[in-house]
Amino acid sequence: MWRHYSGRVLPRITATAYLTPLREGGSLPAIMEADDLGTYVVKFSGAGQGTKALVAEIIVAGLARRAGLRTPELALIDVAAEIARTEPDDEVQRLITASVGTNLAVDFLPGSIGFDRGFPVDRAIASTLVWLDAWTANVDRSLRNTNLLIWHRELWAIDHGACLRFHHAWGRPESFAEAPYNYGDHVLSGRADPRGVHDQLAARFDEAVLDAILADVPDAWLLPEPERPDPAAPPDPAAARIAYRDYLLARLAAADRWLR
Ligand SMILES: Nc1ncnc2c1ncn2[C@@H]1O[C@H](COP(=O)(O)OP(=O)(O)O)[C@@H](O)[C@H]1O
Ligand SMILES: [Mg+2]
């Protein structure tokens, strides 16, 4: 059974072995073992997308859980340079070297398969998923690249790194809040009624709930990135958490602009 949102900070674990790279996605995540004897998909802080992708993963997984969707458990995983020593692949070596320290671990769902259109999805779940993706501006749930897994006959949402694109160029909250959503590109939009679930879902997200979810993001990933200068970026982690909260609440309040 998946964990209901409980507001605790993420567990910290340490990587003990690099098993295999996952080459379907663009960010070269890897399956790794950790000192809690768990197996995880690790998303690296040194990947091209930068730590913002990891921030979006944590926040949107927290929102998904609070909305009642299934998404794998997350942890923060410490990766040491030695873990790459026996890896023959240069690209993997470089990525791990660039990622020494804290990374994001996603609980590996063994035996899960990628979503295919023949799988029957409950209308309430489809509506909730499409609503969440529209709220967070997720562009990564297309027919070609669904980022949905079937595991134990249930639908699991993964890969939220492309959500919350406003953090790549902080600016006017309205431009994010009011941006339309491209429903035509969403694999489940034909089976969903996001407008029908809006009131009930929006009521689950107030300042306190968002603050608790944002507390899961490590401070280090909320600092301005010197290699990607943005004069409008929040200057410190506390300001960043408030900004994420305000952008998300502003988009909820502007739902008439993006709801379908
Ligand atoms: N928790 C998981 N359990 C099992 N397989 C996973 C899990 N997370 C990701 N995968 C597999 O790895 C692939 C890449 O992961 P994803 O999170 O989508 O990264 P990317 O950002 O590279 O697209 C997925 O398409 C899926 O096949
Ligand atoms: Mg993906």
Side-chain angles (χ1 to χ4, degrees), residues 142-187:
S142 65
L143 181 56
R144 193 177 38 81
N145 180 23
T146 65
N147 290 305
L148 294 171
L149 299 177
I150 308 298
W151 191 56
H152 291 270
R153 297 169 186 250
E154 301 283 0
L155 187 74
W156 290 73
I158 59 162
D159 193 2
H160 301 108
C163 302
L164 311 180
R165 59 170 177 267
F166 60 83
H167 62 181
H168 297 294
W170 293 93
R172 298 165 43 251
E174 311 83 76
S175 58
F176 173 71
E178 297 173 1
Y181 185 67
N182 181 5
Y183 289 93
D185 204 35
H186 194 293
V187 61

Side-chain angles (χ1 to χ4, degrees), residues 22-29 31 41 43 49 57 72 106-110 112 114 140 145 147 149 158-160:
L22 287 166
R23 292 196 179 272
E24 297 117 277
S27 64
L28 205 62
I31 301 180
V41 172
K43 310 206 88 174
Q49 291 79 350
E57 292 266 13
V106 183
D107 190 27
F108 179 67
L109 307 181
S112 59
D140 258 358
N145 180 23
N147 290 305
L149 299 177
I158 59 162
D159 193 2
H160 301 108

Side-chain angles (χ1 to χ4, degrees), residues 18-32 40-50 53-54 57 79 83-84 87-99 103-104 106 140 147 159:
Y18 186 102
L19 299 186
T20 183
L22 287 166
R23 292 196 179 272
E24 297 117 277
S27 64
L28 205 62
I31 301 180
M32 298 185 86
Y40 296 88
V41 172
V42 175
K43 310 206 88 174
F44 292 104
S45 61
Q49 291 79 350
L54 308 185
E57 292 266 13
V79 175
I83 224 100
E87 256 311 302
D89 187 309
D90 272 0
E91 196 185 358
V92 169
Q93 285 271 4
R94 274 198 307 277
L95 182 55
I96 292 180
T97 306
S99 305
N103 297 274
L104 184 67
V106 183
D140 258 358
N147 290 305
D159 193 2

Side-chain angles (χ1 to χ4, degrees), residues 120-137:
V121 183
D122 177 85
R123 187 160 173 86
I125 292 176
S127 300
T128 301
L129 184 78
V130 172
W131 178 87
L132 174 80
D133 287 336
W135 177 26
T136 59

